[in-house]
Structure formats: C-alpha cells, structure tokens
Amino acid sequence: MKLLVSLLVLAGVASAARNGIDFIQPVSVATFQCIKKDGYSFVIPRVFTSVGTLDHTGIQNVKNARAAGINDADGYIFPCLATHCPSAANQVKQTLDALKAAGTHVSTLWLDIERLAWPANHASNRAFIEAMVKEAEALKQQVGIYSNYYNWQDIVGLDYHGLSHLMLWWAEYDGEKDFGKFRAFGGWTRPTIHQWHGTETGPCGVSVDLNYVP
C-alpha cells in the first residue's frame, strides 16, 4: 500500500508539470482550442515589438487564447532602444492600454531582455529596464524577466541583482524539459519557466518556441 501511495504521489507531481508556447503569428480561437486539447496550458504572444510598435496581432492572440479557454495567457514586450521609440515606461503603458482597449489582459507581462541594439552602458540599461518594471507595477500588472546568463551578462552585468525578486523566464535551448542546466545569474537561483526548444512547427501547425513549467 505504501508503494502504491508513493507512486500516486509521484504521478501527481509529474502531472503538475505544464507545457506552453510563445509565438508571433496570428492564431484563431479554434486553433487555440486545438492547442489546449494538445496539452498546452499557457501561451505567451508578443504584444510589443523591437521597432517600437504595438503588436496588434499578439494582442488579438491574447484575446483569442482566453476565448478558447486558455486562462494563463501572458504577453511579452521586446523593448525598443532606438531614439524614435517611446520611453521605457510608455512602452509598457501603451501595451497595457491597448490590451485593455481590446477587452483583454495578460496574466504576466514579460520583458524580453536579450541582445539586440542595447547600448554598452550597463547603468543606462539597468535604468531602462527598471523604468519598465516600475511602470508595470504602478499599473498593478504582474511583470517578469525573460533572459539568460549571457544576455544578462552583456546587457546589465552579472553583478546586477536588482530585479531578482521578479519571476524569471529562462531561455536555454538545451532540449530538456527541466531546470537541470540552469546557471545562476542576476540573483536568480531558479527560474519560473524554461524556454527549452526554439522555433519549430508546433501544436496545431503553429510556429512556436516550446516552454516548460515544473
């Protein structure tokens, strides 16, 4: 009997793991229903682009996912650092305002911190990201960081731990649905999500990155 109980407990732990996707292409409500049926319980569309514009396709994807019964619908901002772009705070505010105007919301707003057009100045990069976080928190929006060891090292420096209180979406295409190869950085000792596989034709024909939560 003890063995049976142990096996049931282990089965419960295993079943608690969740699979999710992030993507940029338009996805219909029907396709999200298919994705949900295939065992994916969370989605993270892009909602703001690196060229400084709202991603209206992604905002509609958030709305469609929720209509399909996927309640864990997040969104991510790919920050724009060019001089013509809105300020750090306004990129967040514009995104959240647009989601609200569309009649939807994201559970978590993720800030995509990876190497693309970031200046060499760690101090200014830290300030930019902090301004985004501060705006999200002022607007009562749960916010998290998407990054990995090398991106964090290059953009803000490994000695910067100022945002380690936030959830971490860890990008490492190691092909393993676990946290076994996680290397601590930025004050994080464990991520919340692991993006473990890069772009492929995934569930129901959608081009996605694959993600895992234990």
Side-chain angles (χ1 to χ4, degrees), residues 121-209:
N121 188 313
H122 285 178
S124 66
N125 292 343
R126 294 174 184 182
F128 190 96
I129 299 166
E130 288 170 356
M132 298 187 84
V133 171
K134 183 178 180 180
E135 182 68 13
E137 292 178 338
L139 295 172
K140 310 300 182 185
Q141 172 62 55
Q142 181 168 266
V143 60
I145 300 293
Y146 168 98
S147 197
N148 64 20
Y149 184 97
Y150 295 106
N151 282 305
W152 201 251
Q153 174 181 257
D154 288 355
I155 295 168
V156 297
L158 295 175
D159 61 328
Y160 176 59
H161 294 187
L163 299 176
S164 60
H165 62 288
L166 301 178
M167 294 183 295
L168 174 66
W169 177 12
W170 171 51
E172 185 69 34
Y173 297 159
D174 60 10
E176 301 291 338
K177 292 167 63 175
D178 59 35
F179 295 166
K181 295 180 182 177
F182 179 73
R183 183 180 181 185
F185 68 92
W188 288 289
T189 57
R190 179 180 172 85
T192 300
I193 303 176
H194 180 194
Q195 186 186 65
W196 63 275
H197 189 76
T199 305
E200 68 167 30
T201 300
C204 309
V206 180
S207 180
V208 300
D209 298 325

Side-chain angles (χ1 to χ4, degrees), residues 67-82:
I70 300 176
N71 295 322
D72 196 351
D74 296 348
Y76 74 89
I77 287 179
F78 203 132
C80 181
L81 284 298

